[in-house]
Amino acid sequence: MKRALLFACAVSCVAATTQTWEMSGYQDFSRGRMAGLSLTRDGKLTPGPAVNTIFDSAQADIWSVAQAPDGSFYVGTGNRGRVFHVKQSGESEVVWTAEQPEIFTLIVDPKGIIYAASSPDGKVVRIENGKVSDFFSPGARYIWALALAPDGALMVATGDEGKIFRVTPSGQGSVYYETGQSHVTSLAFDAQGRLLAGSEPNGILYRITAPGKAFVLYNAKFPEIRSILTAPDGSVYAAALGGGVAKKVSAASAAAVSSGSNLPVISTTVTVTADQQSGVTPAPKPEAPKLAAPAAQTTVVSPASTVDTSGSDRSSLFKIWPDNTVETLWTSKEENVYDLALDGSSVVFLTDAQGRIYRLEPNGKTTLMAQAGEGDATRLLASPRGLVAATGNLGKLLRLDAATNSAGWFESPVHDAGTVARWGRLSWRGDARGVVLRTRSGNSARPDTTWSDWSAPLTATGAAVTSPNARFIQWRAEFTGASGGIDDVTVPFLPQNTPPAIRSISVIGAQAPASSARPAQAANTTTSYSVTVTDTADSSGTTSQTISRGPGQQLQVAWVGEDPDGDRLIYNLYFRGEEETEWKLLHGNTTDNYYALESDVVADGRYYFRVTASDRLSNPAELAREAEIVSAPVIVDNTPPVVTAGAPRRMGTRVDIAVDAVDRGSLLRRCEYSVDAGPWFPVESSDGVTDSAQEQFPIRIENVSPGEHLISIRVYDGAGNAGLAKAVVR
């Protein structure tokens, strides 16, 4: 059954018959790039919200963003540690430049007062009416998150020691909770005013109800709780991922190096033990940080330990219900969820895959709302005028306008036809009003200057693809109106048929061994003998091989063929003698890769074997291709040497016998004798080397006792055939 299934698959995957590349459904379309479009969960491309740039910081990253009561935004950047005020008109100004390179977090209170924190080894400042004042210094390496408590206190999340500080409005701070983790990465307050905190590297989400008192809501399989979102009904949404802290630490380190600061190396070891009675993982206690001497010129900061999630999910979005039960809403092996926001009754989240923004409806349906086209997205928040996303490289602030976009595009992933292909007619399904498609092709895996230009618009389904024949192809859909949608796109193509190849041919027989450690057993010993020619061998320089076949034995010819396209092959086997001019068919139209000849089919002589392979089973006759290979010359020798023993000459206890041997099919290889059916003893030829078709062997036997003795003589040729003779000594 398994072989039948594999065969069916092989036949369906042929190369030189028309094939189709079809893209349909959410998974297929999610592998492409798009702008101004949305992708529904049922796999439909439709016009989406416009994504407009409202602020360009000209900085490496925007790490944090908050909206003020008047609708303006405050933005914290990386590399140069600046806080910008972005007004609704689009104008911006720098309100603070920190001594440290990164502003990982900032917050605006209901009165419009800004709290911004710098890292590494930074502090929290208070910005009011344009005046900046120092507010709180936690003495921590990093400040990752800020949150305002219902009573007006400011909560400060730090690393490398994973502490949360509570700071009063007057700037007096104290440790509120020590997680035992390396970093506290996110903060939020739930509907009941309880503090929620996410950590790294063990991905623990805490609910903290009082100083020093916490309950573990969830322990994720990912290293970091990246973002926390609370809903009015008491539910909590959280995004978990791996490597986010390490990325920020790396950015801070690089910025610190470029600014010439000297930072120590800190490593932290965290041990987590389970409470056997409660089943809840308690907050682990860290070992004392180990401070190492900094390098003379450069600074390296080792990030907190992370979990290797290669080959598994990279990030996850989950929901904790008011009864503490947990439900996973979304996972991905390719994308990291970086931030969450609540937009009406829906949860929206931002990933690092070209700045994708997803909407998760209450019914669980997920829609890819927009793709910002930026390689690194960091923050997301909801505003009255639409969702706002912050990006890195370079740091920009983008807004999704609520009005449907009037134009957009989608670029498919590149498709590999496997070989140069001829393109057919492109077709698509859906409401194609205001939609045109284009194609381009090339022979490099990624589109570059060697590819063709985008084709002229294809305005109707079934239009012929005009892009040049090539191995790779890509299509692009352009939405020129507010309506329209695409459900499915199909590109038929006919790949160029690649010829098959025969990698080797082997002629296999059985022969006696050329030598034996125990001559008495040689006559009863046979070994397998193989002559192989590969497709790179030069037959003119290949030594002829000799093969013998005793009665009832077989001569086997085997070969190895393959097809780059996976086509099924059919073979023909031919042979001819050295003096012959035409090939004779031995076995034809076979899918086997071996053939056995009966013992009497081939007489003694010098032969060649030829195998041809064709892929016509998988291709039309006019497109089928062939390949062939010819073996090295093979000498078939079934006739033993003729051995003639001269009259024995006795001289005392010594006996001399002159032996002549000749073989018509191959060269002689060995001579040996036996006295009175005793052990066999080797004899070398008179010229010292046994290497001719005719040889003389002088046999000299010492210490022969008086009386009659039988001397048996055996001579082998290159094919292992043995000729026998005897002499009687009296």
Side-chain angles (χ1 to χ4, degrees):
M1 177 62 73
K2 289 183 178 179
R3 290 189 61 183
L5 290 175
L6 290 173
F7 172 75
C9 179
V11 171
S12 66
C13 299
V14 296
T17 55
T18 299
Q19 301 180 47
T20 57
W21 169 39
E22 182 178 5
M23 287 192 65
S24 63
Y26 182 87
Q27 292 299 326
D28 282 354
F29 287 124
S30 66
R31 295 186 293 112
R33 297 174 59 245
M34 67 182 190
L37 301 179
S38 291
L39 175 60
T40 63
R41 189 61 194 177
D42 55 2
K44 187 179 183 66
L45 285 170
T46 60
V51 180
N52 299 315
T53 300
I54 59 177
F55 171 64
D56 188 342
S57 70
Q59 303 293 298
D61 295 281
I62 292 180
W63 292 123
S64 51
V65 59
Q67 188 168 23
D70 63 358
S72 62
F73 297 97
Y74 288 90
V75 174
T77 68
N79 197 35
R80 299 184 66 180
R82 292 180 173 179
V83 174
F84 290 85
H85 182 206
V86 182
K87 300 177 182 179
Q88 294 193 58
S89 62
E91 298 177 356
S92 63
E93 61 177 340
V94 177
V95 297
W96 180 49
T97 299
E99 296 178 359
Q100 293 74 29
E102 314 295 334
I103 308 295
F104 287 136
T105 180
L106 59 79
I107 195 170
V108 181
D109 73 4
K111 298 179 181 180
I113 300 173
I114 305 101
Y115 296 92
S118 59
S119 292
D121 298 321
K123 59 188 175 182
V124 180
V125 300
R126 175 185 169 119
I127 306 173
E128 184 176 8
N129 297 324
K131 182 179 179 180
V132 180
S133 59
D134 292 348
F135 183 67
F136 175 66
S137 179
R141 187 78 172 125
Y142 303 101
I143 303 174
W144 298 120
L146 301 173
L148 282 170
D151 62 1
L154 182 69
M155 313 305 292
V156 181
T158 68
D160 281 335
E161 298 182 9
K163 296 178 181 178
I164 302 172
F165 293 84
R166 181 181 183 276
V167 186
T168 65
S170 62
Q172 300 298 313
S174 60
V175 175
Y176 187 70
Y177 188 73
E178 184 174 356
T179 63
Q181 297 283 286
S182 296
H183 303 273
V184 178
T185 53
S186 51
L187 295 174
F189 281 91
D190 65 12
Q192 300 180 35
R194 298 171 296 189
L195 179 63
L196 304 175
S199 67
E200 196 270 353
N202 296 113
I204 299 175
L205 177 61
Y206 300 91
R207 182 170 62 205
I208 307 170
T209 54
K213 186 176 182 180
F215 177 78
V216 174
L217 275 180
Y218 189 60
N219 191 343
K221 65 177 182 179
F222 300 93
E224 177 186 350
I225 303 296
R226 172 72 177 193
S227 181
I228 305 170
L229 176 67
T230 59
D233 65 356
S235 300
V236 176
Y237 298 88
L241 54 79
V245 166
K247 181 176 181 179
K248 288 186 176 181
V249 168
S250 176
S253 301
V257 170
S258 64
S259 64
S261 62
N262 214 6
L263 305 177
V265 178
I266 298 179
S267 63
T268 304
T269 302
V270 177
T271 303
V272 180
T273 59
D275 186 335
Q276 297 181 355
Q277 294 182 354
S278 65
V280 176
T281 303
K285 298 296 182 181
E287 296 180 0
K290 302 172 184 178
L291 187 62
Q297 299 296 330
T298 60
T299 301
V300 179
V301 177
S302 62
S305 60
T306 59
V307 174
D308 181 10
T309 58
S310 59
S312 59
D313 293 337
R314 291 182 62 182
S315 65
S316 177
L317 171 62
F318 55 90
K319 178 180 182 179
I320 302 176
W321 295 87
D323 62 357
N324 293 345
T325 55
V326 181
E327 178 183 358
T328 300
L329 304 176
W330 186 88
T331 62
S332 176
K333 290 179 168 55
E334 293 82 26
E335 303 176 47
N336 284 312
V337 180
Y338 270 12
D339 206 4
L340 309 173
L342 198 62
D343 187 22
S345 60
S346 302
V347 174
V348 291
F349 56 97
L350 178 74
T351 76
D352 60 350
Q354 302 179 60
R356 288 180 170 178
I357 300 174
Y358 294 86
R359 178 183 296 276
L360 179 64
E361 303 290 353
N363 59 7
K365 184 177 180 180
T366 304
T367 299
L368 175 54
M369 294 178 59
Q371 187 167 285
E374 301 292 334
D376 193 7
T378 55
R379 291 295 178 187
L380 180 67
L381 59 85
S383 73
R385 295 182 57 183
L387 294 168
V388 174
T391 68
N393 194 27
L394 293 170
K396 298 178 182 179
L397 211 59
L398 309 175
R399 177 186 283 122
L400 275 66
D401 287 348
T404 300
N405 192 16
S406 60
W409 55 265
F410 174 87
E411 283 186 6
S412 73
V414 172
H415 179 70
D416 182 3
T419 184
V420 174
R422 180 183 305 163
W423 315 118
R425 296 180 178 274
L426 185 147
S427 60
W428 63 88
R429 292 186 295 119
D431 180 6
R433 290 174 299 166
V435 182
V436 298
L437 277 78
R438 303 174 188 265
T439 63
R440 62 178 177 178
S441 61
N443 286 304
S444 57
R446 294 184 179 181
D448 55 22
T449 56
T450 67
W451 275 50
S452 68
D453 295 331
W454 287 108
S455 68
L458 305 178
T459 58
T461 183
V465 174
T466 59
S467 297
N469 296 343
R471 175 173 174 174
F472 301 95
I473 191 169
Q474 184 182 32
W475 57 264
R476 173 186 174 98
E478 297 175 352
F479 289 66
T480 57
S483 61
I486 292 179
D487 299 302
D488 178 281
V489 176
T490 301
V491 181
F493 60 95
L494 180 66
Q496 172 185 315
N497 184 25
T498 305
I502 306 178
R503 297 304 180 193
S504 65
I505 180 173
S506 300
V507 183
I508 305 169
Q511 72 169 46
S515 62
S516 174
R518 301 184 63 183
Q521 299 177 1
N524 296 322
T525 304
T526 60
T527 59
S528 177
Y529 188 86
S530 173
V531 180
T532 302
V533 173
T534 66
D535 62 348
T536 58
D538 181 359
S539 297
S540 63
T542 303
T543 304
S544 301
Q545 304 292 344
T546 305
I547 293 180
S548 69
R549 297 175 295 104
Q553 292 183 326
Q554 291 183 327
L555 187 66
Q556 293 186 351
V557 183
W559 54 91
V560 177
E562 62 183 39
D563 190 275
D565 303 326
D567 294 344
R568 191 183 181 202
L569 299 180
I570 190 167
Y571 303 99
N572 288 329
L573 172 64
Y574 303 86
F575 84 103
R576 69 173 176 84
E578 184 179 37
E579 71 284 359
E580 301 167 7
T581 58
E582 295 183 1
W583 292 101
K584 285 78 175 174
L585 181 65
L586 269 177
H587 193 48
N589 295 327
T590 179
T591 56
D592 295 331
N593 61 352
Y594 69 93
Y595 182 71
L597 286 73
E598 295 300 329
S599 60
D600 298 327
V601 170
V602 181
D604 289 0
R606 188 180 176 96
Y607 294 91
Y608 295 90
F609 293 89
R610 171 174 169 251
V611 175
T612 64
S614 172
D615 59 7
R616 65 178 183 271
L617 293 179
S618 302
N619 297 278
E622 66 275 12
L623 298 177
R625 305 290 294 273
E626 284 193 357
E628 72 170 38
I629 192 171
V630 178
S631 74
V634 175
I635 299 174
V636 177
D637 182 6
N638 299 312
T639 305
V642 176
V643 182
T644 304
R649 292 182 297 162
R650 180 191 283 270
M651 289 175 287
T653 60
R654 190 181 79 188
V655 174
D656 291 334
I657 305 173
V659 176
D660 290 320
V662 62
D663 192 270
R664 69 178 186 181
S666 58
L667 304 180
L668 301 178
R669 287 292 180 243
R670 188 172 80 252
C671 175
E672 54 194 8
Y673 71 91
S674 170
V675 179
D676 295 335
W680 291 95
F681 296 97
V683 180
E684 198 53 73
S685 67
S686 59
D687 61 4
V689 179
T690 305
D691 59 356
S692 301
Q694 184 173 354
E695 296 279 4
Q696 291 183 342
F697 298 96
I699 298 176
R700 174 168 293 179
I701 309 172
E702 304 284 353
N703 301 319
V704 178
S705 62
E708 187 178 83
H709 298 280
L710 174 65
I711 310 299
S712 298
I713 303 160
R714 184 166 63 186
V715 179
Y716 285 98
D717 62 13
N721 300 307
L724 299 172
K726 74 175 182 176
V728 178
V729 178
R730 294 183 174 88

